[in-house]
Amino acid sequence: MRSLAWLSRLMPDEYVASIYEIDLDALWRRGIRLILTDLDNTLVPWNHPDVPSELTAWLRSVHAQGFHVCIISNNGEDRVGSFAKLCGVPAVSAAGKPKSRGFLEALRRFHMPPEATAMVGDQLFTDIQGAKRLGLYAILVLPQNPVEWWGTKISRMAERLVLRRLERRGLRRPEPAANRRRLDD
């Protein structure tokens, strides 16, 4: 029987519908002080240029609780830098996730050890795998929008297969926030 140890490198520590459902108090109690976050389809839909008021309020709340936040994205400096400036947070662009370079750059900027850092992202093969490789707390969120870069669409096909295997090993897929709101109405 083949070993499935590779799956553990893709198993997030948490799986939530969106950044707004992350339990910040629980992260703080865990000793997390730095939140690294992907940009596209994690904070906003892919290539969305504006900062929604809900995101501004969330960032304010995160900072008020004492966390540092840094965007870490594989996208280029023009996209990432301009969005980060609008948000008022630092960023690492062209991060090369899942490789360690971009993650390590963010950790150095904040003088933060991996065990005090969480990574939030919507992709298993970049965000989660990169975070787990360095020992960061890994939080997977549902993608905000089905519109994506063509390369991401290709990796999503493989990701769906891996997610099914992870779900058989205990990962619980969250209900999309839009569905919950409709049920709550």
Side-chain angles (χ1 to χ4, degrees):
M1 184 163 144
R2 291 185 319 168
S3 169
L4 295 177
W6 62 271
L7 274 176
S8 66
R9 294 188 298 267
L10 296 170
M11 178 67 90
D13 297 298
E14 285 185 42
Y15 194 8
V16 295
S18 77
I19 59 168
Y20 307 109
E21 296 189 10
I22 296 170
D23 185 340
L24 297 173
D25 292 329
L27 286 184
W28 190 264
R29 286 190 304 274
R30 177 179 280 286
I32 302 295
R33 299 299 180 262
L34 171 61
I35 298 174
L36 304 179
T37 180
D38 181 48
L39 172 54
D40 289 314
N41 262 341
T42 297
L43 295 180
V44 293
W46 179 65
N47 265 349
H48 187 79
D50 302 318
V51 180
S53 58
E54 187 178 27
L55 176 57
T56 300
W58 183 79
L59 288 168
R60 227 181 276 126
S61 166
V62 169
H63 285 119
Q65 285 190 251
F67 292 100
H68 300 284
V69 177
C70 181
I71 294 171
I72 177 170
S73 173
N74 286 348
N75 213 323
E77 174 59 33
D78 289 345
R79 163 78 175 131
V80 178
S82 62
F83 191 88
K85 186 175 182 180
L86 289 173
C87 285
V89 299
V92 175
S93 60
K97 298 178 292 184
K99 294 179 183 170
S100 300
R101 180 188 51 78
F103 293 102
L104 292 172
E105 181 180 330
L107 294 175
R108 277 192 295 272
R109 279 190 199 180
F110 290 91
H111 308 286
M112 204 64 66
E115 60 273 10
T117 306
M119 173 65 201
V120 181
D122 67 299
Q123 293 187 60
L124 283 178
F125 299 133
T126 55
D127 305 313
I128 302 307
Q129 183 177 13
K132 298 292 273 188
R133 178 181 284 164
L134 288 172
L136 309 181
Y137 190 77
I139 303 172
L140 182 64
V141 297
L142 296 173
Q144 285 200 5
N145 195 296
V147 177
E148 300 185 286
W149 178 62
W150 67 269
T152 303
K153 287 183 181 213
I154 291 169
S155 70
R156 290 280 189 213
M157 289 184 256
E159 187 175 272
R160 277 192 289 280
L161 296 172
V162 172
L163 278 169
R164 278 191 222 118
R165 288 187 116 161
L166 292 173
E167 287 167 356
R168 285 195 298 261
R169 284 164 180 74
L171 182 65
R172 299 195 71 175
R173 182 177 176 82
E175 183 74 27
N179 289 350
R180 272 196 311 283
R181 273 191 230 114
R182 263 184 263 135
L183 293 173
D184 293 341
D185 291 343

